[in-house]
Amino acid sequence: MQKVLRIVVVVITCLTIGYLSGMETREHITTWYPTLVKPIFNPPNWIFGPVWTALYIMMGVAGGLVWNRQSDQPELVKKAFLFFIIQLGLNALWSYLFFSLHNPLLALIEIVVLLLMIFETYTQFKKIDRIAGLLLIPYLLWVSFATILNASIWWLNR
């Protein structure tokens, strides 16, 4: 039961961070964001909520699986969880930079750092639990796409 509880705690934490990030974007998605020139490959707004919800759940499960291995590899788990927490914080920060500050350039710089942190989290997680590493691949791919989208929006609106 304790193993399931750890996974649930991390999933709820990730979903809470995602919810708070969503609250940061809600007002701006209907006011400021529509005024921007966007690339042709910009997805419709409705897709972001379901995609991010699924990604936060997968992130949480991955984090919980790694946390469950703390008695096997305490130092490795501690290091991996540090990267996990950093990338989760950077994930939340991006919404603030892009939507609240209306600063696609600063958000672009930050998302590149976020992408590197996600990659390092993936690298650390896969050493500890193969499934945990695999669960981060869709997140890594989505943020890679988001980085290209962010760069395009910055370029088109500079």
Side-chain angles (χ1 to χ4, degrees):
M1 183 58 180
Q2 188 177 12
K3 288 185 176 193
V4 172
L5 184 59
R6 285 183 186 136
I7 292 170
V8 169
V9 165
V10 183
V11 168
I12 289 171
T13 300
C14 289
L15 287 170
T16 300
I17 297 292
Y19 176 79
L20 294 172
S21 294
M23 294 300 293
E24 196 65 44
T25 66
R26 243 177 215 95
E27 174 191 341
H28 306 284
I29 212 81
T30 58
T31 56
W32 172 72
Y33 191 67
T35 68
L36 296 174
V37 178
K38 291 177 255 342
I40 194 164
F41 58 86
N42 188 70
N45 289 345
W46 64 264
I47 200 103
F48 290 95
V51 168
W52 275 111
T53 300
L55 293 173
Y56 283 121
I57 290 169
M58 287 188 284
M59 235 190 292
V61 171
L65 289 172
V66 167
W67 187 10
N68 282 333
R69 301 291 299 272
Q70 73 180 0
S71 60
D72 302 341
Q73 306 168 48
E75 289 307 310
L76 224 58
V77 168
K78 186 177 178 180
K79 181 180 178 185
F81 237 80
L82 178 62
F83 283 107
F84 183 77
I85 290 166
I86 291 169
Q87 68 80 27
L88 196 56
L90 289 170
N91 182 301
L93 178 61
W94 182 88
S95 295
Y96 177 75
L97 297 175
F98 189 89
F99 287 102
S100 294
L101 295 184
H102 302 171
N103 194 330
L105 178 58
L106 188 56
L108 176 59
I109 294 165
E110 192 270 356
I111 202 171
V112 169
V113 175
L114 170 59
L115 193 57
L116 294 170
M117 284 295 123
I118 295 168
F119 184 76
E120 187 58 34
T121 302
Y122 159 76
T123 302
Q124 297 299 319
F125 273 27
K126 76 176 183 176
K127 291 178 193 174
I128 298 165
D129 185 291
R130 182 178 169 274
I131 300 297
L134 291 173
L135 284 168
L136 291 182
I137 291 174
Y139 177 39
L140 188 58
L141 293 172
W142 182 257
V143 174
S144 296
F145 170 72
T147 302
I148 294 166
L149 182 60
N150 188 155
S152 299
I153 289 171
W154 169 73
W155 181 260
L156 292 170
N157 292 278
R158 56 189 168 87

